[in-house]
Amino acid sequence: MESAPIQPVIVLVRPQLGENIGKAARAMLNFGLTEMRLVAPRDGWPNPGAGPAASGADVVLERAQVYASVADAVADCEHVHATTVRKRGVTKPVLTPEEAAREIATSQGRHAILFGPERSGLETDDVAVARNIVTVPINPEFGSLNLAQAVILMAYEWSKTASASMAQPLAQPTQEDLLPPAPQAELDGMIAQMEALLEPKGYFRPQSRAAATKRTLRNMLTKPGWNHLEVRTMRGVLSALGKPDRD
């Protein structure tokens, strides 16, 4: 049995607004991440603005731990990733979020992902602690991700590598179970019913075109891959059309 993946730690370095901390928590929990660490939050912690913005991701906020420095926040982590643009004077490998997620999934030990303050991002000294830099390819004429957007990018990429082995795998909210296609006999019955209703209406005239018209009708009705419920519904419509007009 495959063991559950070790979650990366999300580290918000000197976050400024409680609302942004809450939004980051919301982004995390959507993709199964629950461990948030805060480095010297500007307005202290707890912050009354975080809860409403988290939209129910209270478990993340309740477990959030506060540290005085980046070094303290990542002291128990073997791998540290800094989300930032490339810094001058810092020579480190640069990964995309997808590449970083694969490394997190395949490298033993704890991973921490650093996110900088809303206005300025991570400072050079913060990035110096990291093993690599994570940068998302972005519009060169407008590169302006907010904190929650940056967190959700990393959380989503991590979830793609880890979902299969999670204790509670992530689910597609809009996914619906599709009914099986209708058997051919049901389709043939529907088409025959429609032809029987159309025949006395003169739909297949002139007679020389009747075969081609019926073939076109059959092609049209067999293309969508109707399931048995849809066939029954259509036959109900046809039955209604075949009844005498009501007063």
Side-chain angles (χ1 to χ4, degrees):
M1 180 176 179
E2 189 174 359
S3 60
I6 299 176
Q7 293 187 12
V9 179
I10 301 299
V11 183
L12 307 186
V13 180
R14 297 181 296 278
Q16 297 169 328
L17 297 176
E19 290 83 354
N20 289 336
I21 298 173
K23 290 176 182 177
R26 179 181 181 181
M28 290 170 58
L29 195 56
N30 268 300
F31 297 101
L33 298 180
T34 56
E35 188 167 355
M36 172 186 283
R37 298 181 183 180
L38 307 174
V39 175
R42 185 189 67 182
D43 298 332
W45 189 257
N47 188 308
S55 297
D58 299 325
V59 64
V60 179
L61 300 180
E62 291 167 358
R63 296 179 182 178
Q65 299 178 346
V66 180
Y67 297 83
S69 69
V70 172
D72 291 339
V74 301
D76 63 337
C77 299
E78 288 81 8
H79 309 276
V80 182
H81 312 268
T83 60
T84 182
V85 296
R86 193 188 302 267
K87 294 286 185 180
R88 290 183 179 180
V90 178
T91 304
K92 293 182 183 291
V94 178
L95 307 178
T96 65
E98 184 177 14
E99 291 168 339
R102 284 200 299 266
E103 182 169 309
I104 292 170
T106 56
S107 301
Q108 292 184 344
R110 297 223 68 186
H111 290 255
I113 308 174
L114 307 180
F115 298 86
E118 294 91 321
R119 288 186 178 275
S120 58
L122 294 171
E123 296 181 357
T124 302
D125 287 345
D126 301 324
V127 179
V129 176
R131 307 293 192 274
N132 55 55
I133 291 172
V134 183
T135 298
V136 61
I138 203 166
N139 182 0
E141 297 181 2
F142 186 76
S144 181
L145 290 178
N146 63 37
L147 179 58
Q149 288 171 334
V151 171
I152 206 167
L153 273 173
M154 291 301 303
Y156 171 64
E157 290 296 344
W158 174 80
S159 75
K160 291 195 301 184
T161 66
S163 180
S165 54
M166 285 182 180
Q168 185 175 0
L170 302 179
Q172 171 58 263
T174 58
Q175 185 172 341
E176 297 179 359
D177 293 332
L178 298 178
L179 292 173
Q184 189 61 39
E186 290 187 17
L187 282 172
D188 288 343
M190 180 185 70
I191 294 169
Q193 183 181 7
M194 182 173 285
E195 290 179 355
L197 289 170
L198 292 173
E199 190 75 51
K201 305 292 185 181
Y203 183 79
F204 297 113
R205 295 175 185 169
Q207 189 61 36
S208 60
R209 293 291 305 161
T213 302
K214 290 181 179 181
R215 189 180 307 114
T216 300
L217 183 63
R218 171 174 285 276
N219 287 338
M220 182 183 71
L221 294 175
T222 54
K223 269 186 179 179
W226 304 40
N227 62 54
H228 71 91
L229 182 60
E230 292 165 335
V231 170
R232 286 172 55 194
T233 301
M234 177 58 74
R235 295 197 68 169
V237 171
L238 297 176
S239 295
L241 290 174
K243 292 178 180 178
D245 294 340
R246 293 183 177 180
D247 294 336

